[in-house]
Amino acid sequence: MKTNRKQIKKPPAHPSGAKPPKLSPSQIPKHVAIVMDGNGRWAKKRGLPRTAGHTAGEAALLDVVYGAIEIGVKEISAFAFSTENWRRSPEEVRFLMGFNRVEIRKQRDEMNSLGVKIKWIGRPQKLWQSVIAELKEAERLTKNNKVLTLNMCVNYGGQAEIVDAVNSISQDVKRNKLKAGAITEKSLKKYFYSPKMLDVDLFLRSSGEQRISNFLLWQSAYAEMVFMDVLWPDVDRRTLWQAIEIYAERNRRFGKA
């Protein structure tokens, strides 16, 4: 009896013909966290509104996913909208909500064809229901994919995640489901938004800024930080590969001598 196996598409080649660097599997980060920074500055340099920068940056993440698959990265977390981004102007917030909704819908079929599993990481509070609906549909469509996991971090904050975990733990203690004083690093992680998320190996930020901006605080405890002086709309898979080459040269000791 024949089974219908899903055909997984290979990423298209980069227009320049660039190929990923030849590194051993041990030199490839399993999980890359990405702060997609610099859209506003890219637009300002060109005398355009900030929203034009967000639009210009839409192709960057897809090309980075192509590059991640080609080189063997297994998980990417993309900081799409933070819990602090609500402080931006109402016009920009409305644009970003609509932009995220449209982009998730536009890209999910391509991600699915590549074997990418999409997961939403973040708080539902304040988030547009239409955005939540698109994220959940993307999760449903791609739930069985295994090539790469793409965590779309929308309405996410590292401090918020830890606070939400602590509140859930306190409720379980109150219900006698958990013993007070028995929390460990391992048991705390079970209360995070994505308990099975791998620890971050490589933390990549574009735009040249050197800070983590409240992104994956717990998961990035031993991440290698790489800050690239390129604005997000100008990023592509070659930027990722360059960051991975920098990562490959690091000596990760995890507290050992």
Side-chain angles (χ1 to χ4, degrees):
M1 182 178 175
K2 290 185 178 181
T3 57
N4 292 324
R5 287 184 126 186
K6 178 179 173 180
Q7 290 295 111
I8 301 299
K9 186 174 81 171
K10 289 186 177 180
H14 190 270
S16 71
K19 301 288 185 183
K22 293 183 179 179
L23 299 169
S24 71
S26 64
Q27 293 175 302
I28 307 297
K30 292 182 176 67
H31 183 187
V32 180
I34 304 176
V35 178
M36 305 179 290
D37 194 23
N39 289 337
R41 273 162 285 171
W42 184 93
K44 186 177 180 181
K45 278 185 173 184
R46 290 158 178 78
L48 300 170
R50 287 178 58 84
T51 53
H54 298 306
T55 302
E58 73 175 77
L61 180 59
L62 180 59
D63 202 72
V64 165
V65 168
Y66 289 154
I69 293 171
E70 287 181 307
I71 202 168
V73 172
K74 300 308 294 181
E75 188 166 10
I76 287 178
S77 292
F79 209 4
F81 189 89
S82 78
T83 48
E84 288 73 41
N85 285 158
W86 296 105
R87 301 171 187 168
R88 296 187 178 183
S89 71
E91 293 78 18
E92 186 172 359
V93 168
R94 281 194 298 270
F95 175 85
L96 287 170
M97 285 294 101
F99 181 75
N100 275 295
R101 178 184 61 206
V102 170
E103 281 308 299
I104 294 160
R105 183 186 301 173
K106 187 191 296 184
Q107 301 292 1
R108 71 184 177 209
D109 288 339
E110 174 70 359
M111 296 292 183
N112 189 38
S113 71
L114 293 163
V116 175
K117 178 190 289 185
I118 297 173
K119 293 197 70 177
W120 168 37
I121 310 295
R123 275 180 168 175
Q125 295 94 323
K126 296 177 71 176
L127 196 56
W128 286 12
Q129 286 302 311
S130 57
V131 177
I132 292 174
E134 293 296 343
L135 286 163
K136 288 186 174 180
E137 175 58 20
E139 286 187 324
R140 185 201 65 77
L141 181 67
T142 65
K143 64 181 180 181
N144 295 319
N145 292 341
K146 300 183 186 304
V147 174
L148 178 142
T149 298
L150 174 61
N151 300 312
M152 292 298 297
C153 300
V154 183
N155 200 25
Y156 174 86
Q159 292 176 337
E161 179 174 34
I162 295 169
V163 167
D164 289 347
V166 171
N167 283 329
S168 295
I169 288 169
S170 67
Q171 290 298 315
D172 278 356
V173 170
K174 188 176 179 180
R175 298 185 189 110
N176 293 318
K177 291 184 177 180
L178 197 64
K179 187 177 179 182
I183 303 301
T184 64
E185 288 91 339
K186 187 176 180 179
S187 61
L188 175 61
K189 193 173 179 180
K190 293 177 182 177
Y191 288 87
F192 287 164
Y193 300 144
S194 181
K196 293 183 180 179
M197 178 186 285
L198 299 172
D199 286 339
V200 176
D201 297 306
L202 169 60
F203 190 107
L204 170 61
R205 183 179 187 132
S206 61
S207 87
E209 298 288 349
Q210 299 187 18
R211 56 179 178 272
I212 59 176
S213 294
N214 194 24
F215 189 42
L216 296 175
L217 300 179
W218 181 278
Q219 298 87 341
S220 299
Y222 276 99
E224 295 297 324
M225 304 290 172
V226 175
F227 304 105
M228 306 294 284
D229 193 14
V230 54
L231 301 176
W232 181 250
D234 296 325
V235 166
D236 64 17
R237 70 188 83 177
R238 294 171 298 180
T239 314
L240 172 69
W241 295 341
Q242 184 182 355
I244 289 174
E245 287 183 299
I246 294 170
Y247 167 88
E249 294 174 357
R250 303 273 178 90
N251 180 19
R252 304 185 76 199
R253 296 187 297 274
F254 299 98
K256 297 176 184 177

